[in-house]
Structures are given as C-alpha cells and as structure tokens.
C-alpha cells in the first residue's frame, strides 16, 4: 500500500474556500474533472453521507454483506478506506479516489462520497445506481465533526468548540451546510427511488433491524445467522479494536488528540452544548429545516 505523503500534509492545514457554493478544501476538488466524469456502472453502490454520520460503520456492514464470506483474507489485509474508496479524495501519495473506484476489482463496487447531492457525478443517477445515504442528528454530527477536525491534520483547524459551533451553523465546514446535505438527499429520494435513507440513531438503537432493512433494499437474501454475525462484527467495540476499521493506519490522524472511533453514541452533544448554545442552535435549526419533512432524534 502506498503511504500518504506526511511532509505535504502535516505542516499546514488546508484552507477552506467556496467551491460551487459549498465550503471545500483542495483535497476534494483537485481531481474534480475526473470525479465529474466518473463512469458509474449500474451495479455500483454509492454510500453517501455528511462527514461523521456513520460512513465507516455502514461501509463495513456493506463490505461484510457482500464480501465477508467469499474473501475472508480481505478482513485482515485491506483497510476499509481501500475497500470502499472515497471518490472525491485526492491526497498526496495515494491514487486519487476516482481512480481507485474505477479500478475496484469487486462486484458490486462500493464507493463512498461526502458530496452534496447536486455535486454527485451524473453517471450514478444515469445508471440508476443504488445510493445508501446515512444521516445523523445535527448536534451529535457537529460534535463528532469538531473532534475529527481537531485530530485530522488534513482538515481545517476547527478552533475551540464555540468557534466550530458557529462554523457548523453557518455551513463553513468541509462539504458545506449539514442542513442542505441531509435535506438534499431526502428530497432527491422523492423522485429517485433507488435511495435508501438510513439514520445513525436507528443503527445504534437496533443494528440487526437496520441490517435487515438494508438487505431488503439491496435485494440480498442473507441468512439470519449471517446477519447476526455481521451485527456483532460491526459493534463499536469490535470496530474500535479492528485495525482495518479504526483508521489507526492513517498517519495524518492524531489519535492522541482524539481517536477516530471516539464514542459512537447518541446524545454526546449534551456534554458539549451549553444551555445558551442549545437554545441558539434550536432556533436556527427550526428556520433551516422549516421546509423539509425530515425528522431526527437527538436522543434514543
Ligand atoms: P463519534 O465521533 O461520535 O464517536 P464517519 O465514519 O462518517 O466518519 O463517522 C464516524 C462516527 O461514527 C464517529 O462518531 C464514530 O465513533 C461513529 N461510529 C463508527 N462506527 C461505529 C459503530 N460501530 N458504532 C457506533 N458508532 C460508530
């Protein structure tokens, strides 16, 4: 496996800039032409999320559903980010995500994106690909993103919690406003039926049930025994210990600041939001989400 180029990445954090109306960093726009021209195949499956909504969790579930039995060596040799390439990623020292996705030898190809719905390469829609979208309530999503930006030198510096709290509400986080992201895919689902919309909170509440629903969407007839085994393998504690899923192999992440598999809980926002912040956030949220039927749970 090629190594990320530490020298290029660890010295300075990337700057945020406006790209097609979305706050972005160059790691996700450098390869833009190839991303937009990506040729999807009808059986490709796109795993789309706002960052920190449970991408890795659902990626691992899907990898196990499709390849857990037929390629057992994969489980000890291939980190999840190699199995499920990040299509817009263009990190120094690694092949660009679009190229990795293009060369995936598997069928189906599982491909990850954080792009808002309007920036997803057209061919995924044209080929009527399945899209699995995972959404997480805004408060926990914000907290998780804050800790991620603290520890990941390839992300902009989040400043302190209060600073990041404001950035999040104003959509000045990488991949733009959470509000538009989650509601964009939700609205798309009304006209494009091949989207399965999942909630992080539901997976925490009952992983087995969510794996069942996912199998129904994917048209997989996995045995109950197998699904139970998968639910166990993707438990937070198991994934935190598993080097193939815990991102410990990525040098730009400083686990001394915060681990990738941090808490995996619903409601951790209560340990971060002050009473005043919570009031401000709720008021702003009501405005931002007033035109959507999408509902989240901030506790279970
Ligand atoms: P926290 O920071 O709240 O712990 P992504 O993969 O989209 O980057 O999301 C990462 C978030 O999902 C982190 O949230 C991580 O702990 C959580 N997560 C990943 N796997 C999980 C699992 N098996 N169970 C619960 N949470 C999980």
């Amino acid at each position: 496996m090629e190594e990320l180029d530490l020298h290029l990445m660890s010295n300075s954090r990337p700057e945020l800039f406006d790209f097609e109306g979305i706050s972005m960093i160059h790691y996700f726009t450098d390869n833009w032409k190839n991303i937009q021209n990506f040729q999807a195949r009808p059986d490709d499956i796109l795993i789309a999320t706002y960052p920190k909504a449970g991408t890795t969790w659902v990626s691992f579930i899907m990898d196990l559903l499709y390849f857990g039995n037929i390629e057992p060596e994969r489980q000890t040799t291939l980190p999840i980010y190699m199995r499920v390439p990040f299509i817009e990623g263009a990190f120094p020292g690694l092949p660009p995500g679009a190229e990795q996705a293009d060369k995936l030898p598997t069928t189906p190809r599982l491909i990850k994106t954080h792009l808002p719905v309007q920036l997803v390469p057209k061919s995924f829609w044209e080929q009527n690909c399945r899209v699995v979208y995972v959404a997480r309530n805004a408060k926990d999503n914000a907290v998780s993103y804050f800790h991620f930006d603290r520890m990941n030198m390839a992300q902009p510096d989040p400043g302190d919690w209060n600073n990041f709290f404001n950035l999040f509400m104003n959509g000045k986080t990488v991949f733009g406003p959470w509000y538009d992201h989650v509601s964009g895919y939700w609205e798309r689902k009304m006209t494009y039926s091949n989207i399965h919309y999942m909630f992080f909170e539901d997976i925490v509440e009952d992983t087995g049930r969510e794996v069942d629903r996912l199998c129904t969407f994917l048209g997989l007839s996995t045995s109950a025994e197998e699904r139970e085994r998968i639910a166990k393998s993707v438990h937070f504690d198991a994934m935190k210990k598993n080097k193939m899923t815990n991102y410990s192999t990525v040098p730009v992440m400083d686990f001394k600041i915060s681990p990738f598999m941090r808490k995996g809980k619903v409601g951790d926002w209560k340990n971060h939001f002050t009473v005043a912040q919570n009031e401000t956030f709720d008021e702003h949220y009501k405005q931002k989400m007033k035109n959507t039927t999408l509902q989240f749970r901030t506790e279970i």
Side-chain angles (χ1 to χ4, degrees), residues 146 150 156-164 167:
F146 168 62
R150 287 172 57 231
D157 186 342
D160 64 10
W161 163 245
N162 193 55
N163 186 64
F164 185 83
L167 293 175

Side-chain angles (χ1 to χ4, degrees), residues 139-140 143 266-274 298-300:
K139 293 178 182 179
D140 283 325
V143 166
V266 180
D268 186 42
W269 62 271
K270 292 178 190 164
N271 299 315
H272 292 75
F273 281 55
T274 64
T298 53
E299 48 196 318
I300 54 172

Side-chain angles (χ1 to χ4, degrees), residues 28-168:
F28 305 127
T29 60
D30 280 351
N31 193 36
W32 196 248
K33 229 174 142 198
N34 293 328
I35 297 163
Q36 287 303 293
N37 292 333
F38 183 78
Q39 291 303 306
R41 298 183 197 144
D43 53 4
D44 286 345
I45 306 175
L46 191 65
I47 302 171
T49 60
Y50 191 73
K52 312 319 289 175
T55 330
T56 314
W57 199 1
V58 169
S59 298
F60 191 38
I61 291 172
M62 290 179 57
D63 182 76
L64 289 175
L65 280 171
Y66 281 106
F67 312 117
N69 287 333
I70 52 172
E71 290 186 43
E73 74 284 1
R74 185 178 175 85
Q75 299 312 325
T76 51
T77 55
L78 264 189
I80 192 70
Y81 53 85
M82 304 293 282
R83 301 181 204 181
V84 182
F86 187 9
I87 191 166
E88 60 270 27
F91 297 106
L94 279 182
E99 191 183 305
Q100 288 183 49
D102 195 47
K103 290 189 177 150
L104 270 182
T106 58
T107 306
R109 303 186 299 189
L110 305 177
I111 299 170
K112 157 183 162 180
T113 189
H114 289 318
L115 290 170
V117 72
Q118 72 277 16
L119 298 183
V120 167
K122 271 209 268 338
S123 62
F124 285 101
W125 310 117
E126 287 164 358
Q127 299 293 333
N128 197 32
C129 295
R130 287 193 174 91
V131 178
V132 174
Y133 187 78
V134 192
R136 185 178 192 181
N137 81 77
K139 293 178 182 179
D140 283 325
N141 205 140
V143 166
S144 182
Y145 209 172
F146 168 62
H147 289 293
F148 184 67
D149 280 4
R150 287 172 57 231
M151 62 83 111
N152 186 349
M153 301 310 136
Q155 285 280 114
D157 186 342
D160 64 10
W161 163 245
N162 193 55
N163 186 64
F164 185 83
F165 172 82
N166 286 304
L167 293 175
F168 186 89

